[in-house]
Amino acid sequence: MSKETMDSLVKQQELLVVENLVTYFPVRAGLFQRVVAWVQAVDNVSFGILPGETLGLVGESGCGKTTVGRTILRLVEPTSGKVTFDGREVFKLKGQALKMLRRDMQIIFQDPYGSLDPRVPVGESVMEGLNIHKVGQPHERLDLMMDTFRKVGLESYHARRYPHEFSGGQRQRIGIARALALRPKFIICDEPVSALDVSIQSQVLNILKELQREFGLTYLFIAHNLSVVKHISDRIAVMYLGKMVELTTRDNLFANCLHPYTRALMSAIPIPDPHLKRKRIILKGDVPSPINPPKGCHFHPRCPSAMEICSIQEPAFKFVEKGHLVACWLYQETGSGKKVGAS
């Protein structure tokens, strides 16, 4: 992202600002486990989220969505880049300062069973954060835990049960309660409904929206289901192979998506009418390896609108119209100042 674009985002007083985030994972081999390659999971990603906003982050499996969320929280250490949360530089914090930051930044994990300790009652799992941060007196923590259970549609007696005694939807409500217990400002929702039945998905999404209205929460909602993202998001960002390719408002994306990859994703959304058919855009080939991504635009080997410049030079992630950022040569000027133009 260009400096001008980033400066314009920062001026809007976002709660969270991500600048040029890079996260690589080493590939080791041989007797001495030397690093022989790098998995480029997240490569130069930038965006911002306003207070009280929900930013949906979508893309194919393996595109780096979850890694972005975990890196923001420092569950995964970054390779480079900068994340600013509420005026604090996240990657520079250590010790007590980092611990205090975690009260304001929480996560709801994708797997509602694997993220809970099967050996302890779920009430203790929800209270763990309250105990670590010494929130109030013990009886106040208990009251807060019970109140949080009720906020997510559970009863007080559920606190004494173990994770295996709950359904998938109930376990995800427990995961939401655990993230909510410390009353954070910002929650990363890492595909929180992908493992649930469709009927339960709507219930969980409505709970998240109600909690957002009540507590003024800010969400980064990671998903691969565009219909789910449309229901809950204010703006939507699209990722492909570790890079951000498009970012705009929800309504604008569904009415006027610009990037060829986003168009292909949109064409896969089923229409709830047996008499209507959507023209599918079938992408050729497989997703390239993040260990050795293509030069230039990462999407060009599969892009139906690819041009010569796409395989040579990477397009900038920049504004092409008000509130709409796209990384595509169809909407940008070449090095000679000549605009390519949309197909």
Side-chain angles (χ1 to χ4, degrees):
M1 183 179 288
S2 66
K3 186 178 185 301
E4 292 78 8
T5 300
M6 201 66 238
D7 288 345
S8 66
L9 290 176
V10 173
K11 288 178 183 178
Q12 297 178 32
Q13 300 299 314
E14 277 99 341
L15 178 68
L16 178 79
V17 178
V18 178
E19 301 178 59
N20 307 118
L21 183 64
V22 176
T23 305
Y24 290 176
F25 297 106
V27 178
R28 302 181 184 274
L31 180 63
F32 299 102
Q33 291 293 290
R34 292 190 176 93
V35 176
V36 296
W38 293 89
V39 177
Q40 301 177 28
V42 179
D43 191 6
N44 199 29
V45 166
S46 300
F47 60 89
I49 308 179
L50 293 165
E53 181 186 37
T54 299
L55 176 67
L57 185 59
V58 301
E60 293 173 294
S61 296
C63 71
K65 308 184 298 296
T66 295
T67 304
V68 168
R70 289 173 179 260
T71 306
I72 290 172
L73 294 179
R74 288 192 53 186
L75 299 178
V76 173
E77 288 298 323
T79 302
S80 64
K82 179 181 177 182
V83 172
T84 305
F85 176 78
D86 201 17
R88 293 168 284 180
E89 290 192 32
V90 176
F91 299 155
K92 292 185 178 181
L93 299 179
K94 296 180 180 179
Q96 187 65 23
L98 180 59
K99 181 179 177 180
M100 294 303 298
L101 178 74
R102 298 205 185 282
R103 289 191 61 170
D104 292 331
M105 303 174 73
Q106 290 290 310
I107 183 170
I108 302 169
F109 292 100
Q110 177 179 357
D111 184 357
Y113 186 71
S115 59
L116 295 171
D117 189 339
R119 300 168 296 180
V120 301
V122 296
E124 291 186 22
S125 293
V126 173
M127 282 189 64
E128 185 175 8
L130 300 173
N131 293 331
I132 290 173
H133 290 276
K134 296 181 174 58
V135 177
Q137 299 300 317
H139 70 277
E140 294 175 324
R141 297 171 202 164
L142 181 62
D143 291 341
L144 184 56
M145 181 268 289
M146 293 298 186
D147 180 62
T148 305
F149 263 59
R150 288 188 289 270
K151 297 280 187 194
V152 299
L154 297 172
E155 300 298 334
S156 57
Y157 62 83
H158 285 137
R160 298 187 295 273
R161 295 182 178 179
Y162 290 82
H164 72 272
E165 300 180 71
F166 295 93
S167 66
Q170 288 175 318
R171 286 197 289 260
Q172 196 57 284
R173 290 169 190 252
I174 296 166
I176 295 172
R178 186 173 56 179
L180 183 66
L182 287 168
R183 300 298 187 262
K185 297 178 181 179
F186 174 65
I187 297 179
I188 293 177
C189 306
D190 184 12
E191 302 195 37
V193 298
S194 62
L196 306 178
D197 295 336
V198 175
S199 59
I200 306 301
Q201 286 184 9
S202 60
Q203 295 176 18
V204 172
L205 291 174
N206 289 334
I207 287 173
L208 290 172
K209 293 183 77 171
E210 289 170 8
L211 293 174
Q212 185 175 40
R213 286 192 292 266
E214 182 174 353
F215 296 102
L217 296 171
T218 303
Y219 292 145
L220 174 62
F221 193 92
I222 300 169
H224 58 261
N225 188 328
L226 280 166
S227 299
V228 169
V229 172
K230 181 181 180 181
H231 178 72
I232 197 170
S233 301
D234 299 302
R235 290 187 300 145
I236 299 176
V238 183
M239 283 188 68
Y240 180 81
L241 202 62
K243 289 187 175 291
M244 199 83 80
V245 297
E246 189 161 3
L247 172 61
T248 186
T249 62
R250 172 192 59 197
D251 294 338
N252 195 27
L253 189 79
F254 279 82
N256 182 38
C257 60
L258 298 180
H259 199 279
Y261 175 63
T262 311
R263 293 175 186 169
L265 290 180
M266 291 292 183
S267 73
I269 301 175
I271 300 175
D273 187 334
H275 302 292
L276 297 177
K277 291 186 178 180
R278 192 190 303 271
K279 184 179 179 182
R280 285 291 310 275
I281 300 175
I282 307 298
L283 299 177
K284 298 179 181 179
D286 297 323
V287 179
S289 170
I291 296 177
N292 186 27
K295 294 182 180 179
C297 174
H298 283 186
F299 185 60
H300 86 263
R302 307 175 69 197
C303 181
S305 305
M307 301 169 289
E308 182 179 357
I309 192 173
C310 300
S311 61
I312 301 172
Q313 186 176 348
E314 179 184 343
F317 186 55
K318 62 188 294 184
F319 285 107
V320 296
E321 57 187 39
K322 185 178 180 180
H324 201 152
L325 294 101
V326 180
C328 182
W329 282 114
L330 291 173
Y331 311 99
Q332 298 182 19
E333 296 180 349
T334 64
S336 62
K338 181 180 178 182
K339 191 170 184 178
V340 178
S343 58

